[in-house]
Amino acid sequence: VQASTFDVDTYSSSIEYAQVTYVSARQNDDDTWCFSTSVRHNDQGWKHYADGWAVIDTEGNVLGYRKLGHPHDNEQPFTRRQCNINIPAGISTVIVRAKCNNHGFGGKAILVNLNNEQGDGYSVKRYPR
């Protein structure tokens, strides 16, 4: 999965592109993270569907990826979780973006500040220290 740097404010709002609608991030006691990501897309069976989402750093490096194995025609938006994502020390902001099998990335992404309990389109729970 390739994800390049991009401006999170520049995207297509068309549901022909996979749109991230909400992200819940949770830090585990082993310092890995779980991300539950809600995606909305105009899934049309196998010919056009949201097929994955990624957690990337602000430089475009993929930190975690959730492959979506089938269309969600009748479940919109839908939420799927990916755990055991390693966020390197010093990184406090990540971007969660989704893709579809026809258009790739290009829909709304969510910028997540891992130091805040909540923000626009996300919530964060850190493991108590």
Side-chain angles (χ1 to χ4, degrees):
V1 174
Q2 184 175 0
S4 59
T5 58
F6 68 101
D7 178 356
V8 295
D9 294 323
T10 302
Y11 60 89
S12 173
S13 60
S14 166
I15 61 169
E16 296 300 308
Y17 290 83
Q19 311 289 330
V20 176
T21 61
Y22 195 81
V23 175
S24 175
R26 186 188 82 231
Q27 184 183 35
N28 300 310
D29 61 356
D30 66 357
D31 283 334
T32 64
W33 288 80
C34 287
F35 284 79
S36 293
T37 301
S38 298
V39 176
R40 183 168 183 252
H41 182 262
N42 184 26
D43 280 13
Q44 301 167 16
W46 292 102
K47 66 182 179 181
H48 188 198
Y49 71 102
D51 65 351
W53 55 261
V55 178
I56 63 172
D57 67 17
T58 57
E59 300 299 315
N61 299 303
V62 177
L63 305 174
Y65 185 75
R66 169 65 192 250
K67 180 177 173 59
L68 301 170
H70 61 86
H72 296 87
D73 297 25
N74 299 312
E75 182 189 356
Q76 293 290 325
F78 61 93
T79 303
R80 294 296 179 272
R81 184 172 67 159
Q82 182 67 41
C83 292
N84 299 316
I85 295 174
N86 290 304
I87 308 292
I91 292 181
S92 60
T93 302
V94 296
I95 300 157
V96 182
R97 62 191 305 207
K99 65 180 282 293
C100 79
N101 64 333
N102 282 355
H103 300 105
F105 294 103
K108 180 176 174 51
I110 302 284
L111 186 69
V112 179
N113 182 331
L114 298 171
N115 292 325
N116 292 346
E117 287 186 18
Q118 61 184 9
D120 187 18
Y122 71 89
S123 65
V124 175
K125 289 190 178 189
R126 294 189 75 102
Y127 186 77
R129 299 280 172 230

